[in-house]
Amino acid sequence: RMHNEEHERFCNYLYDVLTARLAKDLHAIVLYDVRVAWDSPDLTPHGPDIAVIFNVRQRQKWSTFKESEEGTKPSLIIEITSPSTRSTDLEDKVKEYAMAGVPLYVIVDIFKERHEKKRRLLGYRLTPQGYISFPPNERGWSWLEPVSVWLGLQGESIACYDEAGNLIEDY
């Protein structure tokens, strides 16, 4: 996969913030670009940018996280689009993550419009009928319920905020 500097920076920031937020939960992990093998024969493995998983038996270094072996699945997946993955993140993965039963899927969509770089947040919550999209709040933030963090766009970057709306600095 081809990643650019912005993509790497966003992923590193999210990984660091979410890992710190979950540090006290010994059965919670944040995976960055690690394959997830679903417990469904209809789905091929994915390598999401960020996956937050609770109820793992023991933290380890996974090359592939196997849902069937662990008995748990990601509660939150975040993808940051890049030109080569954008249509997959916006279309295919919306269907496939819903099929996999991922409760919350958030996309940091980076795209060009009339030669200008744009960014937006797209959020999907799982319902019995599949995903429903939910818009960011009036500040442009999306609530990441599993980790109790707001995710927002800040200028040309992304930013996380705690429950009270305080910026969570990069570590």
Side-chain angles (χ1 to χ4, degrees), residues 1-20:
R1 266 203 265 189
M2 279 285 295
H3 293 317
N4 57 34
E5 185 273 335
E6 180 181 52
H7 187 278
E8 292 296 318
R9 192 166 30 89
F10 287 9
C11 287
N12 284 322
Y13 170 71
L14 288 168
Y15 177 81
D16 291 346
V17 167
L18 300 179
T19 298

Side-chain angles (χ1 to χ4, degrees), residues 102-113:
V102 176
L104 190 61
Y105 175 34
V106 175
I107 304 167
V108 179
D109 187 22
I110 304 166
F111 59 101
K112 279 212 164 115
E113 195 173 85

Side-chain angles (χ1 to χ4, degrees), residues 17-162:
V17 167
L18 300 179
T19 298
R21 295 286 290 184
L22 298 173
K24 289 184 175 79
D25 183 343
L26 298 178
H27 300 286
I29 55 166
V30 179
L31 300 179
Y32 171 12
D33 204 18
V34 173
R35 280 169 52 96
V36 176
W38 308 104
D39 193 13
S40 165
D42 301 332
L43 290 172
T44 57
H46 291 83
D49 289 325
I50 300 290
V52 176
I53 307 172
F54 295 93
N55 304 315
V56 294
R57 291 188 196 105
Q58 189 178 349
R59 289 181 180 173
Q60 54 183 288
K61 292 272 184 232
W62 281 275
S63 54
T64 298
F65 180 91
K66 295 184 175 114
E67 186 184 344
S68 59
E69 286 178 15
E70 290 299 321
T72 187
K73 71 174 80 252
S75 295
L76 165 65
I77 286 181
I78 303 172
E79 295 282 10
I80 291 115
T81 64
S82 50
S84 61
T85 65
R86 186 167 185 256
S87 65
T88 304
D89 292 339
L90 295 179
E91 295 162 27
D92 304 353
K93 288 184 178 178
V94 173
K95 292 183 204 95
E96 292 162 5
Y97 290 158
M99 282 174 56
V102 176
L104 190 61
Y105 175 34
V106 175
I107 304 167
V108 179
D109 187 22
I110 304 166
F111 59 101
K112 279 212 164 115
E113 195 173 85
R114 295 189 204 87
H115 307 293
E116 189 182 344
K117 191 181 263 189
K118 304 261 190 169
R119 294 165 189 82
R120 64 181 178 162
L121 290 179
L122 303 169
Y124 296 92
R125 257 194 209 94
L126 193 60
T127 70
Q129 292 73 42
Y131 275 143
I132 55 164
S133 69
F134 66 94
N137 69 7
E138 68 284 349
R139 288 175 148 172
W141 299 357
S142 292
W143 180 243
L144 307 181
E145 196 169 328
V147 289
S148 299
V149 166
W150 289 101
L151 175 62
L153 299 170
Q154 187 182 56
E156 301 202 337
S157 198
I158 58 171
C160 291
Y161 304 87
D162 66 16

